[in-house]
């Protein structure tokens, strides 16, 4: 870890532990709430997928006919092979193999082709040391290092091995934000040749690209996948679309595998929420008690300072009265030798100091009489009649 990284880590730790850990406790509380919300969403998805029927594509029509009276469209789990279809010709079995995409790298037929190009950067401080971690973080957020392009064609799912005699279900990809079960067919790192501008970037400590990672993923025709979502009829043809409350839509996993995955995530999120919530409550409670005690100490200190200031004012007024006129040498304070002796120490009883000096002696860590060196408890002002 470089010196700048250590400095940033130290700054973050100091910020997290500020206010006796209140910031860290608040951050843990936020993470705990997020974990609880994710646990709730995951447990809801687990309950929905567990209750969703796992039926064959040929049985979808009868299932949808049975649920026509229901207001909500059912959530089902189906498994079938991917086959392209023509959007212009409509959902006819004659057009199921038309309009398939062809991968440029592998030559496979596919219905989805995703091409991603990622620039790999190298960064160092340079000769002039002008690079700072904060600017590097901001620069990385501004600089686009990855570009992704995706091509898709409409496709359907059929029962494997039964085409073209089998029924099919249309896959609705509109507004899809779920991950796709893509297969990587091309993965290559291309080096980038240095240029005079690259040398100038390195000289001043700026990051510069050293390689380009080119990757292509496809959803090939004929691949067996599962689809879990809302199923309905579109012009008399079964259609399945994604459900926002479910983390899956198209996946390689079976229903049993999805249930196991969600059950495991539910347990992890449940115990993580309990642990993080307990830590946040403990840290926030500790920070509250510490800051409350500090506030009481500051308040008591201010009261004492105001009391001392008032006593100092009264003492200064008394001192001004005592300084008027001539004071015999035998009645001068043994400490300041300026004011008249007015205070007697307890328990020794020596009256050798003025009130101002007696108060100063009382405020010492171990107050002692300046004559007999006995530890004193307090002093009392003596008034002459």
């Amino acid at each position: 870890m470089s010196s700048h990284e250590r400095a940033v880590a130290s700054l973050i730790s100091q910020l997290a532990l500020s206010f006796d850990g209140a910031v860290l406790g608040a951050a843990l509380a936020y993470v705990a709430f997020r974990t609880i919300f994710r646990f709730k969403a995951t447990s809801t998805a687990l309950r929905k997928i567990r209750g969703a029927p796992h039926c064959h594509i040929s049985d979808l029509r009868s299932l949808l006919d049975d649920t026509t009276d229901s207001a909500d469209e059912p959530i089902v789990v189906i498994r079938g092979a991917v086959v392209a279809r023509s959007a212009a010709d409509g959902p006819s079995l004659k057009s199921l193999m038309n309009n398939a995409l062809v991968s440029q790298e592998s030559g496979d037929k596919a219905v989805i082709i995703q091409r991603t190009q990622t620039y790999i950067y190298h960064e160092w401080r340079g000769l002039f040391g002008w690079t700072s971690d904060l600017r590097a973080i901001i620069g990385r957020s501004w600089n686009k290092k990855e570009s992704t392009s995706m091509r898709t064609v409409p496709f359907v799912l059929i029962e494997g091995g039964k085409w073209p005699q089998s029924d099919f279900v249309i896959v609705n990809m509109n507004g899809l934000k779920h991950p796709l079960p893509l297969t990587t067919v091309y993965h290559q790192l291309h080096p980038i040749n240095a240029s005079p501008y690259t040398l100038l970037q390195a000289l001043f400590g700026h990051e510069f690209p050293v390689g380009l990672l080119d990757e292509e993923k496809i959803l090939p025709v004929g691949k067996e996948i599962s689809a879990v979502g809302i199923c309905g009829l579109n012009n008399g043809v079964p259609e399945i679309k994604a459900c926002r409350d479910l983390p899956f839509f198209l996946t390689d996993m079976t229903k049993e595998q999805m249930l196991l995955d969600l059950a495991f995530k539910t347990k992890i999120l449940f115990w993580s929420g309990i642990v993080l919530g307990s830590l946040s409550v403990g840290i926030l409670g500790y920070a509250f008690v510490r800051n409350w005690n500090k506030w009481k100490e500051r308040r008591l200190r201010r009261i004492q300072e105001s009391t001392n200031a008032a006593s100092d004012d009264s003492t200064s007024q008394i001192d001004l009265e005592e300084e008027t006129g001539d004071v015999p040498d035998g009645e001068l304070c043994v400490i300041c030798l300026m004011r008249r002796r007015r205070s007697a120490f307890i328990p020794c009883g020596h009256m050798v100091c003025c009130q101002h000096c007696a108060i100063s002696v009382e405020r010492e860590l171990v107050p002692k009489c300046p004559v007999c060196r006995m530890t004193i408890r307090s002093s009392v002002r003596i008034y002459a009649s």
Side-chain angles (χ1 to χ4, degrees):
M1 183 181 291
S2 64
S3 59
H4 284 289
E5 291 174 349
R6 286 195 297 269
V8 172
S10 176
L11 179 61
I12 293 175
S13 62
Q14 290 177 5
L15 180 62
L17 297 176
S18 58
F19 299 102
D20 293 314
V23 176
L24 178 61
L28 287 177
Y30 173 75
V31 176
F33 278 115
R34 289 290 301 271
T35 304
I36 292 172
F37 290 147
R38 289 182 60 188
F39 163 75
K40 183 178 179 182
T42 306
S43 59
T44 302
L46 176 62
R47 185 173 62 254
K48 288 184 177 181
I49 294 180
R50 183 181 286 123
H54 186 198
C55 60
H56 298 286
I57 297 177
S58 56
D59 300 332
L60 279 178
R61 292 182 180 273
S62 59
L63 177 66
L64 294 175
D65 292 338
D66 295 337
T67 58
T68 51
D69 298 334
S70 177
D72 298 330
E73 295 178 321
I75 296 178
V76 298
V77 180
I78 58 176
R79 190 167 183 86
V82 176
V83 177
R85 60 174 282 266
S86 173
D89 296 338
S92 62
L93 292 176
K94 296 180 180 180
S95 61
L96 290 179
M97 294 300 294
N98 295 336
N99 289 355
L101 302 173
V102 179
S103 172
Q104 297 179 357
E105 305 297 337
S106 63
D108 297 332
K109 290 186 176 181
V111 294
I112 299 177
I113 297 179
Q114 177 180 297
R115 194 66 177 260
T116 304
Q117 292 182 336
T118 306
Y119 285 96
I120 299 176
Y121 283 76
H122 175 72
E123 182 183 4
W124 63 299
R125 284 180 53 82
L127 298 179
F128 299 100
W130 288 355
T131 302
S132 63
D133 288 323
L134 181 60
R135 194 191 64 173
I137 293 173
I138 297 175
R140 288 191 183 95
S141 63
W142 286 345
N143 192 6
K144 185 175 178 59
K145 298 182 180 181
E146 181 178 293
S147 61
T148 302
S149 61
M150 180 179 293
R151 293 185 296 156
T152 61
V153 294
F155 64 96
V156 298
L157 294 180
I158 65 170
E159 292 189 24
K162 297 182 180 181
W163 183 83
Q165 289 80 17
S166 67
D167 291 332
F168 60 91
V169 56
I170 301 174
V171 178
N172 189 341
M173 298 283 290
N174 295 334
L176 180 65
K177 296 182 179 179
H178 295 73
L180 297 173
L182 303 179
T183 303
T184 302
V185 295
Y186 181 73
H187 184 90
Q188 187 69 35
L189 178 63
H190 304 284
I192 297 178
N193 297 326
S195 63
Y197 180 67
T198 303
L199 179 61
L200 186 62
Q201 285 180 309
L203 185 65
F204 285 92
H206 293 278
E207 57 184 11
F208 56 92
V210 295
L212 176 63
L213 181 62
D214 196 0
E215 199 173 32
E216 186 179 76
K217 297 180 180 180
I218 65 172
L219 181 58
V221 173
K223 182 178 180 179
E224 286 278 341
I225 63 173
S226 297
V228 51
I230 302 173
C231 194
L233 292 176
N234 184 8
N235 296 328
V237 179
E239 181 186 58
I240 190 168
K241 58 184 177 180
C243 179
R244 293 186 303 173
D245 299 334
L246 300 180
F248 305 110
F249 177 48
L250 302 178
T251 176
D252 293 322
M253 295 186 290
T254 61
K255 180 181 178 180
E256 290 76 14
Q257 292 173 337
M258 285 187 281
L259 292 176
L260 290 175
D261 182 73
L262 289 177
F264 177 74
K265 290 180 179 178
T266 301
K267 292 180 180 179
I268 294 297
L269 291 172
F270 175 75
W271 290 109
S272 299
I274 290 179
V275 172
L276 291 174
S278 302
L279 286 176
S280 63
V281 169
I283 293 175
L284 288 175
Y286 170 79
F288 175 78
V289 172
R290 289 273 297 179
N291 286 282
W292 175 258
N293 292 333
K294 287 183 178 180
W295 178 80
K296 289 196 299 184
E297 290 176 359
R298 287 195 296 267
R299 184 170 177 270
L300 182 60
R301 192 180 301 114
R302 285 196 299 267
I303 294 174
Q304 291 177 351
E305 289 176 355
S306 61
T307 304
N308 294 334
S311 63
D312 290 342
D313 292 339
S314 62
T315 303
S316 61
Q317 183 66 28
I318 294 172
D319 291 342
L320 289 176
E321 295 176 356
E322 291 178 348
E323 288 176 357
T324 59
D326 295 332
V327 180
D329 294 339
E331 296 181 7
L332 287 174
C333 174
V334 298
I335 294 178
C336 65
L337 298 175
M338 293 174 55
R339 291 175 287 271
R340 192 183 300 272
R341 300 177 185 181
R342 289 296 187 185
S343 296
F345 293 113
I346 298 175
C348 65
H350 288 123
M351 191 177 70
V352 292
C353 294
C354 63
Q355 176 133 4
H356 184 273
C357 294
I359 294 175
S360 300
V361 172
E362 286 182 27
R363 292 178 182 175
E364 293 179 357
L365 184 62
V366 183
K368 292 183 179 181
C369 175
V371 176
C372 65
R373 306 305 296 168
M374 180 184 291
T375 302
I376 63 174
R377 293 194 301 269
S378 61
S379 65
V380 59
R381 177 176 169 79
I382 305 299
Y383 292 93
S385 59

